Amino acid sequence: MTAAPAPAPAPRQHPPSEYVFGPVRREHLRRLAFVWGWTAFLSFVFFAFHIGPPVTPEGPGGEQIVQRVMLAGGGLGMLIAWRWEGVGGFLLTFAAIVLGVLAGVGFHPLEALLVTIVFLVPGLAFLVLWASQHAWFVMAGTAAIVVAGMGAGGYGAASLYNYYFGPAHPQSTLVALPASPVDWLWSGALTPTSIAVNARLAEDGASGRLAVDTDEGFSNPLYSAPAIAANDTNRVVHFDVAGLEPDTAYRYAVEVDGQLDLVRQGAFRTPADGPTSFTIAVGACSRLGSNGAVYDAIRGLDPLMFIATGDFHYANIEVNEISRFRSVYNETLTRPAQAALFREVPIAYTWDDHDFGGNNSNADSASAPAAQAAYRESVPHYPFVADDGSIYQAFTLGRLRFLLTDSRSDRRGTSMLGEAQTEWLKSELMAAHEAGLVTVWVSSVPWIASGGTGDDWGGYVEERADLANFLAENNLAERLVMLAGDAHMLAIDDGTNSDYSDTGNASFPVLEAAALDRPGSVKGGPYSEGTFPGAGQFALMTVTDDGGDTIAISWQGYNWELTPIVGLDMTFSVPPEE
């Protein structure tokens, strides 16, 4: 009897890797993943501790801790992948996606993608090596998870970037004016009889002079002295015009090579000479390149002046390159909404950290010389007191004396203002009080803040106490108010929380007016009238003065829709005008 033939062996199930990789290719891919991964990890460790992970424009926060944790996770993933390629690959891929998302706090999403790729390459290599040894649906599932993670990461990075660098409130519908011989112009240093205008001309070597007239047709203009545009000064020319009539509306335009440019023309009103009523706008903190609707709202209210209390832009330039600052002025002053406002409302401007240098910048910032030179070149301003680069300045409107301090140029150690500026501030406070004026101190950082190491007056408690005691000893706080910036909120204190003197005689009202176009946040406080964080916000300061023995001042905070948010009415006793 013949034995039955043995059954044929079942065909061997080959893992997918045998159709894709041979043993040699598989080992090459594994080595490549380890070399790439460890190189990336060590490079990231070097940059993390010598330069630092990317941070938000407002400075470092919890994102640095998370990035360092994810970096450590990437290193752990490399170690685990030596034994368990799948686990290590998933950990590396997760770390890569999270690092890419958090890179969005400082880099464009496409740049953040490069951060992701650095760790993603070895992570994907380990996942491929692991998944290729399993059934096809394992490979497909792994691929789907990675693609979904990458998509979520891209969305997260873009969202973070838009939050920190994109518009924080609706944008203006204004469009740019057509090209003309003048790129931009704005006015400042306003007095009852004079104005200063800075303009950038379109051509090197062009000759310009300013025409000022009460007639919109410029039928009988008053001219400034001529000026020549030069590339080595960004083609910016400066004009001064005196001999104007107080309390008079004027138009101005630049005559370039004999032709008056009416495409870009501006307007202003001179204040009355002596006691007078007027309204000024106050604001701070705007992203670079903003075309926010808030600027249209301010312009529509036709204030006498706009006081910028710091962070005019968020360029965060940390190098001594004047060309960088020039580019920022060019960009800011050609954005349609900002350009229209600053053509028609004179400015008085002191800076804070983000428009002086990087976050929390001070006198030792590498950017200081370039920032100071670019300000002098580009900004129409009142006369400077110091010749060392500081921009503190003062001016008078009616019976109010405005003091703009510079909280960055002289900041060293335990002093925010430095000895010379502090002595100037004290002398100005005394002189204004003796002259019977109300003093308006413009500070780019919050005064009301708990003591500590903050980037505000709370971080300079000894200097703040010295100033407060000076106010108390000389009874100066009774006719003093402060306009402050930096905090992204509207907030008002009636003097309840502003007294830091030893004797309790130095309380004065404080107004925070921000943010023009940055995400809202609360800083400092408390404030008697509350805090209202938000974007697209500003304030009006309305002064009513008929020459009698009182001056009424009203503060009102608004958003871009002109919705009233917070306000305070005050009355100050002054010697009557003789």
Side-chain angles (χ1 to χ4, degrees):
M1 194 174 160
T2 305
R12 188 168 72 90
Q13 298 295 316
H14 295 271
S17 61
E18 292 193 10
Y19 298 107
V20 181
F21 305 108
V24 175
R25 289 182 179 177
R26 181 180 176 81
E27 185 59 28
H28 285 169
L29 181 60
R30 180 179 171 84
R31 289 179 180 177
L32 175 63
F34 275 112
V35 171
W36 183 304
W38 283 118
T39 301
F41 174 75
L42 294 175
S43 299
F44 270 50
V45 168
F46 174 82
F47 286 115
F49 288 95
H50 287 77
I51 299 177
V55 298
T56 74
E58 306 299 338
E63 76 279 0
Q64 282 196 314
I65 297 175
V66 176
Q67 288 177 86
R68 289 192 169 107
V69 169
M70 287 298 100
L71 181 59
L76 180 62
M78 292 298 301
L79 292 173
I80 292 175
W82 187 264
R83 177 66 178 84
W84 297 288
E85 293 170 340
V87 177
F90 272 112
L91 187 55
L92 273 167
T93 301
F94 178 76
I97 292 172
V98 174
L99 287 170
V101 169
L102 293 178
V105 303
F107 300 104
H108 188 276
L110 292 179
E111 297 173 304
L113 177 61
L114 297 177
V115 175
T116 300
I117 289 175
V118 171
F119 267 160
L120 189 65
V121 168
L124 289 179
F126 288 128
L127 286 177
V128 167
L129 290 172
W130 169 77
S132 64
Q133 300 179 74
H134 296 77
W136 66 269
F137 57 84
V138 175
M139 295 185 66
T142 302
I145 293 172
V146 171
V147 170
M150 288 292 293
Y155 177 80
S159 298
L160 278 178
Y161 183 82
N162 289 334
Y163 177 80
Y164 286 111
F165 298 96
H169 77 292
Q171 298 296 280
S172 170
T173 58
L174 289 181
V175 296
L177 296 175
S180 75
V182 177
D183 289 338
W184 53 254
L185 74 169
W186 56 342
S187 66
L190 179 69
T191 78
T193 60
S194 64
I195 192 75
V197 172
N198 281 21
R200 185 176 192 255
L201 305 188
E203 298 292 337
D204 179 41
S207 176
R209 61 176 181 166
L210 190 71
V212 179
D213 203 335
T214 57
D215 176 20
E216 292 185 1
F218 293 90
S219 60
N220 187 31
L222 182 66
Y223 287 104
S224 72
I228 305 297
N231 282 333
D232 59 2
T233 55
N234 195 33
R235 303 197 302 275
V236 174
V237 289
H238 176 80
F239 307 111
D240 289 302
V241 174
L244 304 176
E245 292 295 323
D247 194 21
T248 303
Y250 286 96
R251 304 291 301 178
Y252 67 91
V254 180
E255 182 187 86
V256 181
D257 293 334
Q259 184 67 39
L260 195 63
D261 180 13
L262 297 179
V263 174
R264 286 171 176 80
Q265 57 177 294
F268 64 90
R269 171 177 285 276
T270 53
D273 194 2
T276 182
S277 301
F278 58 89
T279 297
I280 62 173
V282 186
C285 306
S286 183
R287 70 184 183 90
L288 178 60
S290 173
N291 193 41
V294 67
Y295 296 107
D296 295 338
I298 297 171
R299 181 168 54 90
L301 295 171
D302 194 27
L304 179 71
M305 175 185 292
F306 178 80
I307 295 183
T309 58
D311 292 336
F312 188 64
H313 57 75
Y314 262 66
N316 287 309
I317 300 169
E318 300 185 70
V319 294
N320 186 26
E321 295 180 7
I322 192 171
S323 61
R324 298 273 297 274
F325 286 93
R326 286 170 173 169
S327 295
V328 168
Y329 281 116
N330 293 343
E331 179 177 357
T332 301
L333 296 173
T334 54
R335 299 298 291 155
Q338 292 198 66
L341 172 63
F342 298 132
R343 284 196 305 268
E344 299 184 18
V345 179
I347 194 167
Y349 159 41
T350 189
W351 53 34
D352 200 37
D353 49 351
H354 299 288
D355 46 351
F356 176 77
N359 187 61
N360 297 344
S361 53
N362 57 25
D364 297 323
S365 173
S367 64
Q372 293 163 346
Y375 183 106
R376 282 163 164 73
E377 178 182 87
S378 302
V379 181
H381 56 80
Y382 292 95
F384 294 131
V385 180
D387 57 6
D388 62 355
S390 297
I391 64 167
Y392 55 95
Q393 53 195 279
F395 62 93
T396 301
L397 294 177
R399 292 194 287 176
L400 273 66
R401 183 66 170 169
F402 291 79
L403 310 178
L404 277 66
T405 48
D406 179 349
S407 67
R408 299 295 163 179
S409 294
D410 300 314
R411 182 187 293 207
R412 287 188 177 89
T414 59
S415 176
M416 181 183 295
L417 301 181
E419 182 178 353
Q421 186 177 182
T422 299
E423 290 306 310
W424 167 82
L425 176 61
K426 289 179 176 179
S427 66
E428 281 282 350
L429 289 165
M430 282 291 293
H433 190 76
E434 291 171 356
L437 305 179
V438 174
T439 303
V440 182
W441 178 5
V442 180
S443 169
S444 69
V445 294
W447 175 261
I448 302 174
S450 58
T453 59
D455 185 38
D456 49 38
W457 281 104
Y460 298 83
V461 291
E462 293 181 1
E463 188 172 35
R464 181 174 62 180
D466 174 69
L467 288 168
N469 287 328
F470 178 79
L471 295 175
E473 292 164 6
N474 296 282
N475 296 315
L476 302 181
E478 63 184 11
R479 289 202 301 269
L480 172 67
V481 299
M482 175 180 282
L483 309 178
D486 185 55
H488 297 183
M489 62 186 185
L490 287 168
I492 295 176
D493 188 77
D494 61 5
T496 301
N497 303 290
S498 65
D499 191 345
Y500 293 96
S501 68
D502 296 331
T503 59
N505 189 32
S507 65
F508 55 89
V510 177
L511 166 69
E512 286 282 347
L516 290 166
D517 195 7
R518 293 287 299 149
S521 62
V522 174
K523 185 175 185 179
Y527 290 84
S528 65
E529 311 307 301
T531 58
F532 303 86
Q537 299 186 151
F538 68 99
L540 290 184
M541 176 175 173
T542 301
V543 177
T544 304
D545 183 5
D546 60 6
D549 58 2
T550 61
I551 296 176
I553 296 179
S554 175
W555 286 338
Q556 182 62 62
Y558 297 92
N559 65 13
W560 74 95
E561 296 178 307
L562 298 183
T563 302
I565 295 176
V566 62
L568 180 68
D569 295 327
M570 302 159 281
T571 301
F572 298 88
S573 297
V574 295
E577 186 75 4
E578 297 180 357

